[in-house]
Amino acid sequence: MSSRISLTRYLVEQQRMDGHIPSQLRLLLEVVARACKSISQAVNKGALGDVMGSAGSENVQGEMQKKLDIIANEVLIEANEWGGHLAAMASEEMEGIYVVPNRYPQGEYLLLFDPLDGSSNIEVNVSIGTIFSVLLKPEGTGVSEQDFLQAGCKQVAAGYCVYGPQTTLVLTVGDGVAMFTLDREQGSFILTEEDVRIPENTQEFAINMSNMRHWDAPVKRYIDECLQGKEGPRGKDFNMRWIASMVADVHRILTRGGVFMYPWDKREPNKPGKLRLMYEANPMSWLIEQAGGAATNGKQRILDIQPTQLHERVSVILGSKNEVERVTRYHSEA
Ligand code: P6P
């Protein structure tokens, strides 16, 4: 039987091999993985636990919070605040940053997360997930929101945990993408994919088609060509998927290729897009690039965007390299 490599062993070997993972970062990633296991347990309870339905509150985005959004956020805060590896945390569910309390030692890392992405899918039992991003705190005493405003290319670790038919943790520290499946009997994440690669071409796109009338011309042009199939300019038929859970759509793309698009549209013209840059687009874009794909906002590489606000939004086009380059080219030609 091929030796089963646990997440802990993988991280220790990565640390030993090329010092890619300082011990404090290894500790942080193991703590985040343990928190995702707890979130997975809560998600899997469903209607059997007191975890379903609305929390009766709104998050900073003005969106109704589900009970599980709050639970997942609290699990991540409580798991990470005492370990001494973090200076502060930021979450989709919290307006401001969460500075590690003085009663605990402060570390050099900043952790950002969407604790439960796709929570509109909870009631219908469709895959949801936790997305996380790790930055180094800039030199200097104390920590402020400004310290978080770093471009995605500064990330030192990024990943997600998808709560689906399997619970799978997907991670990069800048040396490719690895996937770990949760062995519930042992309670440990086991390495099941290493050096994940996305095909450069695809015949599958993911976009919310109900927004078509609101899209900009380059997006309309790209999707129209896909819909024309082999009789059209692309000369091949396309398939469409839209799970309305970014984690699940990105996991499919990391697994078999494809292009995911949540572009700017006319519904809220003052917003650059729906998805958040710091804790959705940046971690997902790094994973995609580390697996040989590409990620732009239609005009520039997402990882090069210099953030100005913690919760700022961005237009997202990511996945198979040649398709992302085509959509981006259509924007530059427009
Ligand atoms: P829509 C989930 O709420 C999310 O932030 C992403 O996970 C997902 O891709 C998108 O929004 C779905 O948005 O407008 O299709 O419901």
Side-chain angles (χ1 to χ4, degrees), residues 63 92 114 116-121 127-129 131 207-211 242-250 260-262 265 267 274-276 280 284 313:
E63 293 162 346
E92 180 189 67
D114 179 354
L116 205 58
D117 175 70
S119 44
S120 60
N121 283 321
S127 300
I128 49 184
I131 310 172
I207 194 167
N208 184 335
M209 293 293 284
S210 69
N211 300 327
W242 188 250
I243 306 174
S245 173
M246 185 185 198
V247 172
D249 281 312
V250 168
F260 170 96
M261 301 165 72
Y262 211 115
D265 70 44
R267 288 175 296 168
K274 171 178 183 180
L275 302 179
R276 287 81 175 183
E280 289 178 334
M284 293 309 207
R313 297 169 187 264

Side-chain angles (χ1 to χ4, degrees), residues 28-280:
L28 164 51
L29 294 172
E30 291 200 86
V31 169
V32 169
R34 256 197 309 280
C36 289
K37 263 193 286 187
S38 304
I39 295 168
S40 174
Q41 298 286 18
V43 167
N44 285 175
K45 278 206 176 65
L48 297 176
D50 181 21
V51 297
M52 301 292 268
S54 165
S57 52
E58 281 190 355
N59 66 14
V60 62
Q61 331 286 341
E63 293 162 346
M64 282 311 290
Q65 289 178 306
K66 304 279 176 132
K67 282 183 190 166
L68 272 170
D69 286 324
I70 308 276
I71 292 167
N73 194 62
E74 286 168 357
V75 165
L76 282 159
I77 297 279
E78 287 161 19
N80 282 287
E81 63 177 351
W82 49 268
H85 47 276
L86 283 183
M89 295 178 243
S91 165
E92 180 189 67
E93 301 303 331
M94 301 186 298
E95 176 126 26
I97 64 170
Y98 179 87
V99 178
V100 167
N102 290 336
R103 62 184 180 279
Y104 300 124
Q106 286 226 342
E108 58 182 342
Y109 292 106
L110 304 174
L111 178 65
L112 303 93
F113 45 83
D114 179 354
L116 205 58
D117 175 70
S119 44
S120 60
N121 283 321
I122 293 172
E123 272 77 18
V124 294
N125 201 5
V126 168
S127 300
I128 49 184
T130 298
I131 310 172
F132 61 91
S133 169
V134 184
L135 295 166
L136 261 178
K137 185 180 87 71
E139 290 298 318
T141 52
V143 59
S144 69
E145 188 167 305
Q146 191 62 32
D147 292 328
F148 282 79
L149 301 183
Q150 302 177 42
C153 56
K154 300 286 189 190
Q155 292 174 101
V156 293
Y160 62 82
C161 192
V162 53
Y163 312 117
Q166 304 97 41
T167 287
T168 302
L169 182 79
V170 180
L171 176 67
T172 186
V173 291
D175 191 23
V177 174
M179 295 186 175
F180 303 84
T181 302
L182 180 61
D183 174 343
R184 290 195 186 283
E185 282 134 34
Q186 278 197 331
S188 46
F189 281 104
I190 303 298
L191 181 67
T192 43
E193 282 299 328
E194 209 173 358
D195 297 331
V196 172
R197 303 304 295 170
I198 300 177
E200 294 197 342
N201 296 304
T202 183
Q203 291 178 241
E204 195 161 69
F205 65 86
I207 194 167
N208 184 335
M209 293 293 284
S210 69
N211 300 327
M212 182 181 277
R213 65 189 183 284
H214 305 303
W215 297 336
D216 221 353
V219 174
K220 280 185 179 160
R221 173 184 171 192
Y222 175 77
I223 296 297
D224 283 346
E225 290 179 355
C226 291
L227 294 175
Q228 290 173 50
K230 61 164 86 70
E231 293 77 32
R234 300 303 308 275
K236 57 184 181 178
D237 290 339
F238 280 75
N239 188 30
M240 194 214 93
R241 286 283 180 275
W242 188 250
I243 306 174
S245 173
M246 185 185 198
V247 172
D249 281 312
V250 168
H251 194 72
R252 185 190 59 254
I253 288 171
L254 280 169
T255 305
R256 70 185 191 210
V259 58
F260 170 96
M261 301 165 72
Y262 211 115
W264 172 92
D265 70 44
K266 302 185 184 101
R267 288 175 296 168
E268 297 189 274
N270 300 329
K271 286 182 183 174
K274 171 178 183 180
L275 302 179
R276 287 81 175 183
L277 174 63
M278 297 304 295
Y279 39 79
E280 289 178 334

